[in-house]
Amino acid sequence: MWSKSGLFFILFSFSKTVFAQPGFMHFTVKNGLSQNAITCIYKDKRGFIWLGTQDGLNQFDGQKIKQYRYEVGDTSTISDQYITSINEDGAGYLWVGTRNGLNRLNLQTNQFTRIHFDKNRKNQIQYAFNNILSIGSGNLLFPVEDKAYILNWKNQQISELPSSFKLNSNFTVYGKSVWQYSNKIIYQINPVNGLITDSTKINSGNPKSVRLFTDKNGLIWLIDEKDENNPSISFFDIKQKKWFPSPFVWNEKINDIVFDDNNVAWIAGQSGVYTSEKGQVKKTFKGRGFPEILNQPNSVLSIYPDNQGLIWMGFANNGVLLYNSTSQAFDLVLPTKTNETVYSYLENLNGDEWIAAVSGLYKRDRVSKKFKLILKEKVRSLEADSYGTIWAAIENKGLYSIQKNGIIKLVASVENGKLLSNSIFHLKYDNSKKRLFISTKFGLVIADFINNTWNNSHAGHNNTKGLLCGSYILHSFIDSKGNAWISSNGGLDVLNNDLQLIYKYHSGTDTSSFIKRTIITGCTEDRNGQIWISTLSNGVYKWGINKFQQYNIKSGLSSNVVSGVIADADNKIWIATTTGMNVLNQETNRITTLNEQNGLPATDFLLGSLQMSNKNDLLACSSEGLVLIHPKKLMLNPKKLYTYINNPSINYRLVKVQQAYRLSSEDKSISFELTTPCFINMDKIIYQYKLKGFDEKWNSLNSNDRRINYTNLPFTPLELELRSAENVDLLSSAPITRIHIFREPPFWRKWYFVSAISILFGLFIYWVIRWVTKRKINIEKRKSEIEQTLYKERERISRELHDNLSSYAAAIKSNIIQLEKNEALPFDSFNQLKENAEEMVNALRETIWVLQYEQVSITAFSDRFKSLINRIAPNYPSIRIELKEHIQKEKVLSPAVSIHLLRIMQEALTNSLKHSNCSIIEISIDVNEKMEICLKDNGIGFDTSNSSIGYGLQNIRERAMESGLHLNIQSSINGGTSVVIND
């Protein structure tokens, strides 16, 4: 809870803010200007101010100044540092004239193009371009020496203006026509074909050295500078085609003339600035009219009124001075010659004005407008009743009355029992009930003049009808229904005409009503019947029946410490704080802050300080004096702020300004500086940005930190959105600037690479699927072949058993039967029985040998065949068997092939031994890349065409076919036989 002494200190302590000449802002080389001699000023379409000096060009956005200077050897810089004129064409190029040539500035690249009308003088000192004029919408006129040139902005073509007479820089532009003065005649020229369309002779005289200026209504000001220190001014009306009589003489040199939106002429002279209408001086800025910080003399070289009511004044040696013309809406009323705190103001029914200041109570005479000291006392509050009596609350003494006859007497105090405290904060008279509400330090006192009673029963410490929210009563207000709104340190009480409580809103704690933890400092009612409530720490509230809407710093208030609130005749809400005046436009819901930059004479306003005069002017008591505000003269239209980027950089390398940026895959960072051309209250600007596609949330920046930076952006199209406003509530309706950013992906993420990889991957998948399918088919085929092989192997084994073992087994069976009959067997039969048994065992061994290996090498096969030869050869001593091996490269055989090959060779060997009657059998086994086995005898041979060849030869051929071997049998009668096997 606020302490009483703390509250008193807050409400009645004042901090003096020194600000010489409210409404002016001064910028010099200390703020970043290249030089203090301002030769020309121009505001471009985006809102940036361009300041030409004798040493470079300057761009100003309200916070930062950027310099452009001539650099020797660099043709992309401006052609000369001495700037003489600035203008902008319809394409957005800035044209800058210098004493040495004309330049076109590309604002995206920040590079200049030097324009040469005469190519022969390209490497010489160029013309001085002292003036650049706009023709129509976007075209420009360049006068230079005895010629003039026209720019067609659409195709950027420059052509010489045809003319039947020599030009001498004495012309002007109005609409789409050029007006030229020459030899007592003013001509109208068509800029397309150079033809004269009209001419009018001057009334008198023959000015030689002439400059022309045209106002917004088509009135040409002809300045005759025969005596430049005392130039004469003549006027020619373009619309009426006539000269005004009697030119008058100006008493000092004229450097520049411009016209604002109200067609007021602003004249830059040797000693200051003047405003004029048709030559009649309206206002003068010179000497003490300028801030004291300016150095003397105050010669003004250039002047420029922008569309925001700001006047830019360029001095010869003092930089640029920004003057806010809205300061004409403010006056500081002082009862004495010095600034002092004014506590209260009163305008009674007779039109008398009373001001209560630190030095005493003053009354201003209605005729002479001079102040007279009435009472040398510190009066805190003034009020007048319907009887003509003035009521004055004198600090620590009580309530005094001032009668019509001037008699002053004490009426109420603690000592006579009528007051609860002699510290009175506010007085409010209820005309309908003839009673006075007295807000004191210890409660509310109501003086009833009809019944002549002093009722203090509504004080917080002694209230029989219900306690008020607080005892520290700060303000009373009577609404249109006669209800009394009592503001206090504890909240807000609303009493009806009968002083019965109808509403009560506590504000002392965090659990109070909607108005929490603050002190109520005052109330007012607008034209719609809505009640506005000011607080000491929460801003203001708009009240409906038990419904509140809050406005605070986030809404645009300069401070949440509000000393008073009032509605003007246009239903705008004026909110007085300790840091400036705030105006809430209910139609746009926009709050405008007024301070020294707007020309407000004071920014520290006191409790209960606001009221409207009979002329609908606003009066506010402050620590500087009584501030008189004329609301009708203020420009409070909503101003949309457009946000731009400045000094963009990629990988910390500056690049040009553009609407889209394409980064390479190696670019890791991009950054921008945000700017919005705002020159009043620029320190309140809030910047917001978000990068759609990367960060969908608005991020906020303050005006002193306007740089944003992104690193490692994704490889996708992004859109940077920018906006700015004077407060948070205005951001939602602020214009959005969009910058496109795309970071090139690395080659392995580009579409053609991804497409190629996708195709290759698709082909790979296709190949894998095909391979898997083929492998599956091969496996199935292999299974089938294995099954077929197994089937054939079973068949072969069966045949082996049949061909070999069964025959031997049958012979053995026959021998056994003979033994059973006890028949005598010859000795050969026992040998045969033995041989059959041995052959049977050998055949079985050979079959088992082959089947026990998954693979059989050719060497192992050869060794096995040798073993077979060694077993059989002893039975045929007359036949020589020769075996030759040439195995250069090992080769492996499957078990099936091995057994087939072994049986083929066994069958061929047996046939040669038993049936060929040969003496020599030659066997060769040759293996390198290919295998070839040959068995050759020198026997009787046989006829290969004989179809009655035995089962053995047929068996050889079938085995060769099954094993996939090539078999070649050659034989002839008495020519021997050869069996050749190869793979």
Side-chain angles (χ1 to χ4, degrees), residues 27-38 48-61 63-71 74 76-78 80-81 83 86 94 96 105-107 109-112 646-647 654 673:
F27 304 97
T28 65
V29 291
K30 295 180 179 179
N31 305 100
L33 275 176
S34 60
Q35 209 240 12
N36 279 339
I38 309 299
F48 293 95
I49 289 292
W50 294 85
L51 304 169
T53 73
Q54 295 177 7
D55 188 19
L57 178 67
N58 302 262
Q59 182 198 55
F60 184 38
D61 66 358
Q63 294 178 320
K64 188 176 181 181
I65 295 175
K66 183 176 182 178
Q67 299 180 4
Y68 298 82
R69 276 195 170 101
Y70 164 73
E71 294 183 17
D74 188 351
S76 67
T77 63
I78 198 164
D80 193 88
Q81 69 269 21
I83 312 301
I86 308 171
L94 198 74
V96 184
L105 173 60
N106 187 327
L107 295 175
T109 63
N110 278 328
Q111 291 186 333
F112 291 88
N646 200 10
N647 297 324
L654 288 177
E673 184 180 82

Side-chain angles (χ1 to χ4, degrees), residues 2-215:
W2 296 89
S3 68
K4 295 179 181 180
S5 59
L7 172 66
F8 188 81
F9 177 79
I10 291 174
L11 293 178
F12 297 108
S13 63
F14 313 107
S15 59
K16 299 275 186 179
T17 302
V18 178
F19 189 88
Q21 290 302 105
F24 286 97
M25 296 177 66
H26 190 210
F27 304 97
T28 65
V29 291
K30 295 180 179 179
N31 305 100
L33 275 176
S34 60
Q35 209 240 12
N36 279 339
I38 309 299
T39 55
C40 52
I41 306 171
Y42 181 78
K43 186 175 184 179
D44 66 24
K45 294 183 179 68
R46 301 180 303 167
F48 293 95
I49 289 292
W50 294 85
L51 304 169
T53 73
Q54 295 177 7
D55 188 19
L57 178 67
N58 302 262
Q59 182 198 55
F60 184 38
D61 66 358
Q63 294 178 320
K64 188 176 181 181
I65 295 175
K66 183 176 182 178
Q67 299 180 4
Y68 298 82
R69 276 195 170 101
Y70 164 73
E71 294 183 17
V72 178
D74 188 351
T75 57
S76 67
T77 63
I78 198 164
S79 60
D80 193 88
Q81 69 269 21
Y82 196 114
I83 312 301
T84 55
S85 57
I86 308 171
N87 212 321
E88 185 179 15
D89 67 20
Y93 289 105
L94 198 74
W95 293 80
V96 184
T98 72
R99 67 180 175 184
N100 180 24
L102 179 66
N103 304 262
R104 185 183 67 187
L105 173 60
N106 187 327
L107 295 175
Q108 292 186 339
T109 63
N110 278 328
Q111 291 186 333
F112 291 88
T113 300
R114 298 177 182 179
I115 308 300
H116 302 286
F117 293 149
D118 186 350
K119 303 300 182 182
N120 296 325
R121 296 181 61 174
K122 187 174 181 179
N123 297 318
Q124 302 176 17
I125 297 295
Q126 296 292 305
Y127 307 113
F129 288 82
N130 296 319
N131 201 6
I132 302 175
L133 299 173
S134 297
I135 305 176
S137 57
N139 293 341
L140 299 178
L141 174 69
F142 307 104
V144 54
E145 293 189 347
D146 60 346
K147 296 180 180 180
Y149 296 85
I150 302 290
L151 166 72
N152 186 322
W153 72 268
K154 292 183 179 180
N155 56 23
Q156 291 293 299
Q157 295 296 316
I158 297 177
S159 58
E160 185 177 347
L161 176 68
S163 178
S164 59
F165 52 88
K166 297 293 184 181
L167 300 175
N168 191 23
S169 300
N170 48 356
F171 58 88
T172 185
V173 171
Y174 181 73
K176 295 183 179 180
S177 295
V178 176
W179 295 83
Q180 165 73 39
Y181 174 81
S182 178
N183 194 25
K184 300 181 64 175
I185 300 175
I186 191 161
Y187 298 90
Q188 182 180 4
I189 304 172
N190 186 327
V192 177
N193 52 30
L195 297 178
I196 297 174
T197 59
D198 199 1
S199 63
T200 305
K201 189 174 183 179
I202 194 170
N203 291 343
S204 61
N206 185 17
K208 297 295 184 181
S209 180
V210 170
R211 284 194 294 159
L212 303 180
F213 301 92
T214 306
D215 69 15

Side-chain angles (χ1 to χ4, degrees), residues 78 101 355 374 459 476 618 809 838 982:
I78 198 164
I355 293 180
I374 302 298
S476 299
L618 182 70
E838 288 178 353
N982 50 44

